Amino acid sequence: MSEFQPVTWYDDPSHFRKVSRREFLYVGLVGGLGLTLGDFFRLRAEEVMQDAKAKALIHIFLPGGISPHESFDPKPFAPVEVRGPFGSIPTKLDGVFFNEFLKETAQIADKITVIRSMTHGEAAHERGTMSMFTGYKPSPAITYPSMGSVVSHELGSRQDLPPYVCIPSQPNPYAGSGYLSNAYGPFSLGGDPTNEKFSVRDLTLSPDVDHERFKQRQNILAAVDAHFRDLEKSDALDAMDSFYQRAYNLVSSPKAKEAFNLKAEPDALKDEYGRNAAGMRMLMARRLVEGGVRFASMVFGGWDHHVNVKGGIEAELPKFDKAYAALIRDLDRRGMLDSTLVMVTTEFGRTPKINKDAGRDHWPRVFSVLLAGGGIKRGSVYGSSDPTGAEPDENPLSVEDFAMTIYKQLGIDGAKKLMSPGSRPIDIVRAGQVVQDLIA
């Protein structure tokens, strides 16, 4: 085969990516081996997967924008209007302090990385949320896929479980599939594991449908789908087919259904996490990734404290503290922490000074997030804010670099291009760089 013989450039559009000059020169060799360019890209993707440190990711999102001053980056020596209403406590890391209500998290600080220099320019809730869920700045022209949907698209399902699950439900539009097919959107539990009568919707057969009738319905639907697929090709059909197949896998697989069975967890472990929204959602997330889910996403609390930041923090932070520390300890005991990336993010930070209503307003210039496991350094602080928490002082971290690093740990090439409607290739992450200082 000649080096210049035509090759199907979009042999597999979902695997389109930037190609270096050296890679382009290999195209002739690839063709000579009887491989298409799509095969070549798939092999490259498999190479990246072999380097994956994280086999799964748990995303804990704190909506509203938690104040770093009142959580992971207190300013104990600043004036009271900056310092705020709380004291701070030492952690297991020398010279590193957390809010006084983060007693348990302080004791597992040697297992996590605290990022104190996260920054972007989006001060509105929806724009900050989109940035943190997608790794992209908001655009009026296109809706970008969430990290969970990209993981679903790139890595697929395993153990008959959905690759991407939201607990208890999809929290916002930016947690969805964006320009990708709906087939890569999240599976929502449809119920809150905090409720003692919690059950996952659509996970069991109706009482009047036995397994034989279920199988017959599956075969009939497959025949109807095949007929219409011959007549029409559309994203909607593909998405519905994928949806039904996943539903059949869930309903027919006892092992998959068992992953959602929170009742199987011992009472002592539930008490360790805390029998509240923070505790039960994090425990469910651990159970799901242990079962085979690749990306489990949950939200907890409301952190938009324009008024009375003291009361808001007192009500929610102790619950987060107990649950988060339990999750990290639990994963570590099970030997899962090295292969499970745990990510705590929020929309943005809060203003350096307390306002007239004893609260803090939106402030995206600098804030804190947490990473643990999945090949991330243990017992580390990355970056810093200035003495008042107004600006990054060292190593500002952009959402693009943050997202690129997360994808790297999952074995996904963030420089790869995905196809949006109109056959327009778009980078998974645009202009991001892997932050090696975060990686163990």
PDB file of all heavy atoms in Angstrom, residues 177 180-185 202 218 221-222 224-226 228-229 232-249:
ATOM      1  N   SER A 177     -24.794  15.134  29.040  1.00  0.00           N
ATOM      2  CA  SER A 177     -23.946  14.675  27.936  1.00  0.00           C
ATOM      3  C   SER A 177     -23.575  15.765  26.951  1.00  0.00           C
ATOM      4  O   SER A 177     -22.770  15.535  26.045  1.00  0.00           O
ATOM      5  CB  SER A 177     -24.630  13.523  27.190  1.00  0.00           C
ATOM      6  OG  SER A 177     -25.909  13.928  26.718  1.00  0.00           O
ATOM      7  N   LEU A 180     -22.591  15.382  23.101  1.00  0.00           N
ATOM      8  CA  LEU A 180     -22.540  13.949  22.859  1.00  0.00           C
ATOM      9  C   LEU A 180     -23.950  13.364  22.855  1.00  0.00           C
ATOM     10  O   LEU A 180     -24.904  13.992  23.299  1.00  0.00           O
ATOM     11  CB  LEU A 180     -21.698  13.260  23.937  1.00  0.00           C
ATOM     12  CG  LEU A 180     -20.211  13.597  23.992  1.00  0.00           C
ATOM     13  CD1 LEU A 180     -19.560  12.892  25.176  1.00  0.00           C
ATOM     14  CD2 LEU A 180     -19.512  13.186  22.694  1.00  0.00           C
ATOM     15  N   SER A 181     -24.065  12.145  22.403  1.00  0.00           N
ATOM     16  CA  SER A 181     -25.344  11.458  22.413  1.00  0.00           C
ATOM     17  C   SER A 181     -25.894  11.338  23.826  1.00  0.00           C
ATOM     18  O   SER A 181     -25.140  11.215  24.800  1.00  0.00           O
ATOM     19  CB  SER A 181     -25.184  10.060  21.809  1.00  0.00           C
ATOM     20  OG  SER A 181     -26.282   9.232  22.129  1.00  0.00           O
ATOM     21  N   ASN A 182     -27.228  11.333  23.941  1.00  0.00           N
ATOM     22  CA  ASN A 182     -27.864  11.124  25.240  1.00  0.00           C
ATOM     23  C   ASN A 182     -27.493   9.774  25.845  1.00  0.00           C
ATOM     24  O   ASN A 182     -27.655   9.571  27.056  1.00  0.00           O
ATOM     25  CB  ASN A 182     -29.385  11.209  25.093  1.00  0.00           C
ATOM     26  CG  ASN A 182     -29.855  12.614  24.810  1.00  0.00           C
ATOM     27  OD1 ASN A 182     -29.191  13.573  25.179  1.00  0.00           O
ATOM     28  ND2 ASN A 182     -31.001  12.742  24.156  1.00  0.00           N
ATOM     29  N   ALA A 183     -27.005   8.856  25.019  1.00  0.00           N
ATOM     30  CA  ALA A 183     -26.602   7.545  25.517  1.00  0.00           C
ATOM     31  C   ALA A 183     -25.497   7.649  26.551  1.00  0.00           C
ATOM     32  O   ALA A 183     -25.297   6.730  27.347  1.00  0.00           O
ATOM     33  CB  ALA A 183     -26.135   6.663  24.350  1.00  0.00           C
ATOM     34  N   TYR A 184     -24.758   8.774  26.552  1.00  0.00           N
ATOM     35  CA  TYR A 184     -23.648   8.943  27.483  1.00  0.00           C
ATOM     36  C   TYR A 184     -24.029   9.801  28.691  1.00  0.00           C
ATOM     37  O   TYR A 184     -23.166  10.185  29.482  1.00  0.00           O
ATOM     38  CB  TYR A 184     -22.447   9.549  26.750  1.00  0.00           C
ATOM     39  CG  TYR A 184     -22.035   8.715  25.569  1.00  0.00           C
ATOM     40  CD1 TYR A 184     -22.259   9.162  24.264  1.00  0.00           C
ATOM     41  CD2 TYR A 184     -21.464   7.457  25.748  1.00  0.00           C
ATOM     42  CE1 TYR A 184     -21.903   8.383  23.173  1.00  0.00           C
ATOM     43  CE2 TYR A 184     -21.116   6.679  24.662  1.00  0.00           C
ATOM     44  CZ  TYR A 184     -21.336   7.145  23.376  1.00  0.00           C
ATOM     45  OH  TYR A 184     -20.990   6.357  22.299  1.00  0.00           O
ATOM     46  N   GLY A 185     -25.298  10.092  28.830  1.00  0.00           N
ATOM     47  CA  GLY A 185     -25.765  10.842  29.987  1.00  0.00           C
ATOM     48  C   GLY A 185     -25.762   9.978  31.235  1.00  0.00           C
ATOM     49  O   GLY A 185     -25.583   8.754  31.184  1.00  0.00           O
ATOM     50  N   ASP A 202     -36.996   1.692  38.567  1.00  0.00           N
ATOM     51  CA  ASP A 202     -36.868   0.914  37.332  1.00  0.00           C
ATOM     52  C   ASP A 202     -35.797  -0.171  37.429  1.00  0.00           C
ATOM     53  O   ASP A 202     -35.259  -0.606  36.416  1.00  0.00           O
ATOM     54  CB  ASP A 202     -36.554   1.819  36.125  1.00  0.00           C
ATOM     55  CG  ASP A 202     -37.573   2.920  35.932  1.00  0.00           C
ATOM     56  OD1 ASP A 202     -38.752   2.675  36.264  1.00  0.00           O
ATOM     57  OD2 ASP A 202     -37.204   4.010  35.473  1.00  0.00           O
ATOM     58  N   GLN A 218     -38.226  -8.247  25.353  1.00  0.00           N
ATOM     59  CA  GLN A 218     -36.905  -7.808  24.890  1.00  0.00           C
ATOM     60  C   GLN A 218     -36.694  -8.196  23.429  1.00  0.00           C
ATOM     61  O   GLN A 218     -36.214  -7.397  22.616  1.00  0.00           O
ATOM     62  CB  GLN A 218     -35.817  -8.433  25.759  1.00  0.00           C
ATOM     63  CG  GLN A 218     -34.403  -7.990  25.392  1.00  0.00           C
ATOM     64  CD  GLN A 218     -33.365  -8.593  26.300  1.00  0.00           C
ATOM     65  OE1 GLN A 218     -33.697  -9.393  27.184  1.00  0.00           O
ATOM     66  NE2 GLN A 218     -32.130  -8.227  26.103  1.00  0.00           N
ATOM     67  N   LEU A 221     -38.972  -6.029  21.123  1.00  0.00           N
ATOM     68  CA  LEU A 221     -38.447  -4.678  20.981  1.00  0.00           C
ATOM     69  C   LEU A 221     -37.208  -4.661  20.086  1.00  0.00           C
ATOM     70  O   LEU A 221     -37.029  -3.761  19.277  1.00  0.00           O
ATOM     71  CB  LEU A 221     -38.099  -4.103  22.347  1.00  0.00           C
ATOM     72  CG  LEU A 221     -37.582  -2.663  22.347  1.00  0.00           C
ATOM     73  CD1 LEU A 221     -38.623  -1.714  21.760  1.00  0.00           C
ATOM     74  CD2 LEU A 221     -37.222  -2.205  23.752  1.00  0.00           C
ATOM     75  N   ALA A 222     -36.376  -5.699  20.195  1.00  0.00           N
ATOM     76  CA  ALA A 222     -35.185  -5.767  19.348  1.00  0.00           C
ATOM     77  C   ALA A 222     -35.568  -5.859  17.877  1.00  0.00           C
ATOM     78  O   ALA A 222     -34.937  -5.239  17.007  1.00  0.00           O
ATOM     79  CB  ALA A 222     -34.326  -6.963  19.751  1.00  0.00           C
ATOM     80  N   VAL A 224     -38.392  -4.740  16.475  1.00  0.00           N
ATOM     81  CA  VAL A 224     -38.929  -3.440  16.065  1.00  0.00           C
ATOM     82  C   VAL A 224     -37.800  -2.436  15.858  1.00  0.00           C
ATOM     83  O   VAL A 224     -37.779  -1.695  14.870  1.00  0.00           O
ATOM     84  CB  VAL A 224     -39.932  -2.915  17.123  1.00  0.00           C
ATOM     85  CG1 VAL A 224     -40.356  -1.483  16.797  1.00  0.00           C
ATOM     86  CG2 VAL A 224     -41.150  -3.823  17.191  1.00  0.00           C
ATOM     87  N   ASP A 225     -36.846  -2.420  16.774  1.00  0.00           N
ATOM     88  CA  ASP A 225     -35.704  -1.514  16.637  1.00  0.00           C
ATOM     89  C   ASP A 225     -34.942  -1.775  15.352  1.00  0.00           C
ATOM     90  O   ASP A 225     -34.540  -0.848  14.648  1.00  0.00           O
ATOM     91  CB  ASP A 225     -34.747  -1.670  17.835  1.00  0.00           C
ATOM     92  CG  ASP A 225     -35.250  -0.968  19.085  1.00  0.00           C
ATOM     93  OD1 ASP A 225     -36.223  -0.200  18.962  1.00  0.00           O
ATOM     94  OD2 ASP A 225     -34.678  -1.193  20.156  1.00  0.00           O
ATOM     95  N   ALA A 226     -34.734  -3.059  15.034  1.00  0.00           N
ATOM     96  CA  ALA A 226     -33.984  -3.403  13.823  1.00  0.00           C
ATOM     97  C   ALA A 226     -34.716  -2.917  12.575  1.00  0.00           C
ATOM     98  O   ALA A 226     -34.097  -2.424  11.622  1.00  0.00           O
ATOM     99  CB  ALA A 226     -33.769  -4.916  13.766  1.00  0.00           C
ATOM    100  N   PHE A 228     -36.820  -0.317  12.267  1.00  0.00           N
ATOM    101  CA  PHE A 228     -36.728   1.133  12.112  1.00  0.00           C
ATOM    102  C   PHE A 228     -35.292   1.590  11.881  1.00  0.00           C
ATOM    103  O   PHE A 228     -35.058   2.603  11.232  1.00  0.00           O
ATOM    104  CB  PHE A 228     -37.320   1.832  13.336  1.00  0.00           C
ATOM    105  CG  PHE A 228     -38.820   1.884  13.305  1.00  0.00           C
ATOM    106  CD1 PHE A 228     -39.566   0.987  14.051  1.00  0.00           C
ATOM    107  CD2 PHE A 228     -39.488   2.804  12.512  1.00  0.00           C
ATOM    108  CE1 PHE A 228     -40.953   1.020  14.018  1.00  0.00           C
ATOM    109  CE2 PHE A 228     -40.870   2.850  12.475  1.00  0.00           C
ATOM    110  CZ  PHE A 228     -41.613   1.944  13.232  1.00  0.00           C
ATOM    111  N   ARG A 229     -34.329   0.820  12.351  1.00  0.00           N
ATOM    112  CA  ARG A 229     -32.944   1.208  12.116  1.00  0.00           C
ATOM    113  C   ARG A 229     -32.591   1.078  10.638  1.00  0.00           C
ATOM    114  O   ARG A 229     -31.746   1.789  10.106  1.00  0.00           O
ATOM    115  CB  ARG A 229     -32.004   0.361  12.980  1.00  0.00           C
ATOM    116  CG  ARG A 229     -30.571   0.867  12.970  1.00  0.00           C
ATOM    117  CD  ARG A 229     -29.757   0.261  14.090  1.00  0.00           C
ATOM    118  NE  ARG A 229     -30.153   0.825  15.377  1.00  0.00           N
ATOM    119  CZ  ARG A 229     -30.922   0.214  16.261  1.00  0.00           C
ATOM    120  NH1 ARG A 229     -31.364  -1.009  16.012  1.00  0.00           N
ATOM    121  NH2 ARG A 229     -31.255   0.793  17.389  1.00  0.00           N
ATOM    122  N   GLU A 232     -34.160   4.388   9.193  1.00  0.00           N
ATOM    123  CA  GLU A 232     -33.714   5.693   9.668  1.00  0.00           C
ATOM    124  C   GLU A 232     -32.515   5.529  10.585  1.00  0.00           C
ATOM    125  O   GLU A 232     -32.465   4.629  11.407  1.00  0.00           O
ATOM    126  CB  GLU A 232     -34.859   6.371  10.449  1.00  0.00           C
ATOM    127  CG  GLU A 232     -34.488   7.731  11.027  1.00  0.00           C
ATOM    128  CD  GLU A 232     -35.621   8.324  11.844  1.00  0.00           C
ATOM    129  OE1 GLU A 232     -36.694   7.697  11.921  1.00  0.00           O
ATOM    130  OE2 GLU A 232     -35.422   9.390  12.424  1.00  0.00           O
ATOM    131  N   LYS A 233     -31.541   6.394  10.431  1.00  0.00           N
ATOM    132  CA  LYS A 233     -30.367   6.401  11.301  1.00  0.00           C
ATOM    133  C   LYS A 233     -30.350   7.723  12.041  1.00  0.00           C
ATOM    134  O   LYS A 233     -30.300   8.792  11.422  1.00  0.00           O
ATOM    135  CB  LYS A 233     -29.088   6.248  10.474  1.00  0.00           C
ATOM    136  CG  LYS A 233     -27.807   6.193  11.298  1.00  0.00           C
ATOM    137  CD  LYS A 233     -27.738   4.923  12.122  1.00  0.00           C
ATOM    138  CE  LYS A 233     -26.413   4.830  12.890  1.00  0.00           C
ATOM    139  NZ  LYS A 233     -26.379   3.665  13.773  1.00  0.00           N
ATOM    140  N   SER A 234     -30.413   7.679  13.366  1.00  0.00           N
ATOM    141  CA  SER A 234     -30.430   8.931  14.118  1.00  0.00           C
ATOM    142  C   SER A 234     -29.830   8.730  15.492  1.00  0.00           C
ATOM    143  O   SER A 234     -29.783   7.610  16.019  1.00  0.00           O
ATOM    144  CB  SER A 234     -31.863   9.460  14.267  1.00  0.00           C
ATOM    145  OG  SER A 234     -32.581   8.690  15.200  1.00  0.00           O
ATOM    146  N   ASP A 235     -29.386   9.824  16.049  1.00  0.00           N
ATOM    147  CA  ASP A 235     -28.823   9.795  17.404  1.00  0.00           C
ATOM    148  C   ASP A 235     -29.876   9.336  18.404  1.00  0.00           C
ATOM    149  O   ASP A 235     -29.576   8.616  19.348  1.00  0.00           O
ATOM    150  CB  ASP A 235     -28.317  11.194  17.771  1.00  0.00           C
ATOM    151  CG  ASP A 235     -27.856  11.265  19.221  1.00  0.00           C
ATOM    152  OD1 ASP A 235     -26.791  10.713  19.509  1.00  0.00           O
ATOM    153  OD2 ASP A 235     -28.574  11.877  20.035  1.00  0.00           O
ATOM    154  N   ALA A 236     -31.140   9.729  18.178  1.00  0.00           N
ATOM    155  CA  ALA A 236     -32.200   9.357  19.108  1.00  0.00           C
ATOM    156  C   ALA A 236     -32.376   7.843  19.167  1.00  0.00           C
ATOM    157  O   ALA A 236     -32.544   7.259  20.238  1.00  0.00           O
ATOM    158  CB  ALA A 236     -33.515  10.030  18.709  1.00  0.00           C
ATOM    159  N   LEU A 237     -32.338   7.187  17.980  1.00  0.00           N
ATOM    160  CA  LEU A 237     -32.475   5.738  17.960  1.00  0.00           C
ATOM    161  C   LEU A 237     -31.309   5.059  18.661  1.00  0.00           C
ATOM    162  O   LEU A 237     -31.485   4.123  19.431  1.00  0.00           O
ATOM    163  CB  LEU A 237     -32.575   5.240  16.517  1.00  0.00           C
ATOM    164  CG  LEU A 237     -33.909   5.475  15.793  1.00  0.00           C
ATOM    165  CD1 LEU A 237     -33.830   4.952  14.373  1.00  0.00           C
ATOM    166  CD2 LEU A 237     -35.048   4.777  16.532  1.00  0.00           C
ATOM    167  N   ASP A 238     -30.118   5.527  18.375  1.00  0.00           N
ATOM    168  CA  ASP A 238     -28.938   4.947  19.021  1.00  0.00           C
ATOM    169  C   ASP A 238     -29.004   5.118  20.530  1.00  0.00           C
ATOM    170  O   ASP A 238     -28.667   4.210  21.294  1.00  0.00           O
ATOM    171  CB  ASP A 238     -27.661   5.604  18.488  1.00  0.00           C
ATOM    172  CG  ASP A 238     -27.354   5.181  17.059  1.00  0.00           C
ATOM    173  OD1 ASP A 238     -27.901   4.152  16.622  1.00  0.00           O
ATOM    174  OD2 ASP A 238     -26.567   5.881  16.387  1.00  0.00           O
ATOM    175  N   ALA A 239     -29.429   6.313  20.951  1.00  0.00           N
ATOM    176  CA  ALA A 239     -29.508   6.582  22.382  1.00  0.00           C
ATOM    177  C   ALA A 239     -30.546   5.685  23.050  1.00  0.00           C
ATOM    178  O   ALA A 239     -30.308   5.144  24.127  1.00  0.00           O
ATOM    179  CB  ALA A 239     -29.845   8.055  22.622  1.00  0.00           C
ATOM    180  N   MET A 240     -31.717   5.518  22.390  1.00  0.00           N
ATOM    181  CA  MET A 240     -32.752   4.672  22.965  1.00  0.00           C
ATOM    182  C   MET A 240     -32.294   3.220  23.024  1.00  0.00           C
ATOM    183  O   MET A 240     -32.541   2.510  24.001  1.00  0.00           O
ATOM    184  CB  MET A 240     -34.043   4.785  22.144  1.00  0.00           C
ATOM    185  CG  MET A 240     -34.779   6.110  22.344  1.00  0.00           C
ATOM    186  SD  MET A 240     -35.217   6.405  24.084  1.00  0.00           S
ATOM    187  CE  MET A 240     -36.400   5.094  24.355  1.00  0.00           C
ATOM    188  N   ASP A 241     -31.622   2.749  21.957  1.00  0.00           N
ATOM    189  CA  ASP A 241     -31.123   1.391  21.945  1.00  0.00           C
ATOM    190  C   ASP A 241     -30.151   1.165  23.095  1.00  0.00           C
ATOM    191  O   ASP A 241     -30.198   0.165  23.802  1.00  0.00           O
ATOM    192  CB  ASP A 241     -30.441   1.099  20.611  1.00  0.00           C
ATOM    193  CG  ASP A 241     -29.940  -0.339  20.542  1.00  0.00           C
ATOM    194  OD1 ASP A 241     -30.779  -1.253  20.606  1.00  0.00           O
ATOM    195  OD2 ASP A 241     -28.717  -0.530  20.430  1.00  0.00           O
ATOM    196  N   SER A 242     -29.244   2.132  23.285  1.00  0.00           N
ATOM    197  CA  SER A 242     -28.269   2.030  24.375  1.00  0.00           C
ATOM    198  C   SER A 242     -28.982   2.057  25.723  1.00  0.00           C
ATOM    199  O   SER A 242     -28.640   1.295  26.641  1.00  0.00           O
ATOM    200  CB  SER A 242     -27.263   3.171  24.287  1.00  0.00           C
ATOM    201  OG  SER A 242     -26.390   3.153  25.386  1.00  0.00           O
ATOM    202  N   PHE A 243     -29.997   2.918  25.845  1.00  0.00           N
ATOM    203  CA  PHE A 243     -30.750   3.021  27.095  1.00  0.00           C
ATOM    204  C   PHE A 243     -31.417   1.693  27.440  1.00  0.00           C
ATOM    205  O   PHE A 243     -31.318   1.197  28.564  1.00  0.00           O
ATOM    206  CB  PHE A 243     -31.809   4.121  26.965  1.00  0.00           C
ATOM    207  CG  PHE A 243     -32.788   4.153  28.101  1.00  0.00           C
ATOM    208  CD1 PHE A 243     -32.464   4.784  29.292  1.00  0.00           C
ATOM    209  CD2 PHE A 243     -34.028   3.550  27.988  1.00  0.00           C
ATOM    210  CE1 PHE A 243     -33.362   4.807  30.349  1.00  0.00           C
ATOM    211  CE2 PHE A 243     -34.925   3.569  29.036  1.00  0.00           C
ATOM    212  CZ  PHE A 243     -34.596   4.201  30.220  1.00  0.00           C
ATOM    213  N   TYR A 244     -32.103   1.096  26.441  1.00  0.00           N
ATOM    214  CA  TYR A 244     -32.800  -0.162  26.693  1.00  0.00           C
ATOM    215  C   TYR A 244     -31.816  -1.283  27.038  1.00  0.00           C
ATOM    216  O   TYR A 244     -32.068  -2.092  27.923  1.00  0.00           O
ATOM    217  CB  TYR A 244     -33.638  -0.567  25.475  1.00  0.00           C
ATOM    218  CG  TYR A 244     -34.921   0.214  25.345  1.00  0.00           C
ATOM    219  CD1 TYR A 244     -35.251   0.870  24.171  1.00  0.00           C
ATOM    220  CD2 TYR A 244     -35.824   0.286  26.413  1.00  0.00           C
ATOM    221  CE1 TYR A 244     -36.417   1.591  24.054  1.00  0.00           C
ATOM    222  CE2 TYR A 244     -36.998   1.011  26.308  1.00  0.00           C
ATOM    223  CZ  TYR A 244     -37.289   1.663  25.126  1.00  0.00           C
ATOM    224  OH  TYR A 244     -38.449   2.374  25.009  1.00  0.00           O
ATOM    225  N   GLN A 245     -30.685  -1.324  26.321  1.00  0.00           N
ATOM    226  CA  GLN A 245     -29.716  -2.379  26.597  1.00  0.00           C
ATOM    227  C   GLN A 245     -29.178  -2.270  28.018  1.00  0.00           C
ATOM    228  O   GLN A 245     -29.036  -3.267  28.722  1.00  0.00           O
ATOM    229  CB  GLN A 245     -28.558  -2.308  25.594  1.00  0.00           C
ATOM    230  CG  GLN A 245     -27.598  -3.492  25.701  1.00  0.00           C
ATOM    231  CD  GLN A 245     -28.303  -4.825  25.513  1.00  0.00           C
ATOM    232  OE1 GLN A 245     -29.004  -5.038  24.533  1.00  0.00           O
ATOM    233  NE2 GLN A 245     -28.138  -5.718  26.483  1.00  0.00           N
ATOM    234  N   ARG A 246     -28.894  -1.040  28.438  1.00  0.00           N
ATOM    235  CA  ARG A 246     -28.410  -0.863  29.805  1.00  0.00           C
ATOM    236  C   ARG A 246     -29.486  -1.255  30.815  1.00  0.00           C
ATOM    237  O   ARG A 246     -29.191  -1.842  31.860  1.00  0.00           O
ATOM    238  CB  ARG A 246     -27.991   0.587  30.031  1.00  0.00           C
ATOM    239  CG  ARG A 246     -26.744   0.993  29.271  1.00  0.00           C
ATOM    240  CD  ARG A 246     -26.372   2.420  29.598  1.00  0.00           C
ATOM    241  NE  ARG A 246     -25.322   2.917  28.724  1.00  0.00           N
ATOM    242  CZ  ARG A 246     -24.812   4.144  28.797  1.00  0.00           C
ATOM    243  NH1 ARG A 246     -25.260   4.982  29.701  1.00  0.00           N
ATOM    244  NH2 ARG A 246     -23.867   4.515  27.972  1.00  0.00           N
ATOM    245  N   ALA A 247     -30.740  -0.901  30.507  1.00  0.00           N
ATOM    246  CA  ALA A 247     -31.837  -1.254  31.411  1.00  0.00           C
ATOM    247  C   ALA A 247     -31.977  -2.768  31.527  1.00  0.00           C
ATOM    248  O   ALA A 247     -32.138  -3.311  32.623  1.00  0.00           O
ATOM    249  CB  ALA A 247     -33.140  -0.637  30.909  1.00  0.00           C
ATOM    250  N   TYR A 248     -31.897  -3.470  30.382  1.00  0.00           N
ATOM    251  CA  TYR A 248     -31.985  -4.927  30.421  1.00  0.00           C
ATOM    252  C   TYR A 248     -30.834  -5.525  31.238  1.00  0.00           C
ATOM    253  O   TYR A 248     -31.025  -6.443  32.021  1.00  0.00           O
ATOM    254  CB  TYR A 248     -31.942  -5.505  29.002  1.00  0.00           C
ATOM    255  CG  TYR A 248     -33.204  -5.267  28.213  1.00  0.00           C
ATOM    256  CD1 TYR A 248     -33.158  -4.797  26.911  1.00  0.00           C
ATOM    257  CD2 TYR A 248     -34.466  -5.523  28.774  1.00  0.00           C
ATOM    258  CE1 TYR A 248     -34.306  -4.573  26.187  1.00  0.00           C
ATOM    259  CE2 TYR A 248     -35.626  -5.297  28.063  1.00  0.00           C
ATOM    260  CZ  TYR A 248     -35.539  -4.820  26.757  1.00  0.00           C
ATOM    261  OH  TYR A 248     -36.677  -4.602  26.047  1.00  0.00           O
ATOM    262  N   ASN A 249     -29.645  -4.989  31.043  1.00  0.00           N
ATOM    263  CA  ASN A 249     -28.492  -5.499  31.785  1.00  0.00           C
ATOM    264  C   ASN A 249     -28.683  -5.331  33.286  1.00  0.00           C
ATOM    265  O   ASN A 249     -28.363  -6.225  34.076  1.00  0.00           O
ATOM    266  CB  ASN A 249     -27.212  -4.779  31.348  1.00  0.00           C
ATOM    267  CG  ASN A 249     -26.785  -5.156  29.938  1.00  0.00           C
ATOM    268  OD1 ASN A 249     -27.240  -6.151  29.388  1.00  0.00           O
ATOM    269  ND2 ASN A 249     -25.914  -4.349  29.357  1.00  0.00           N
TER     270      ASN A 249
END
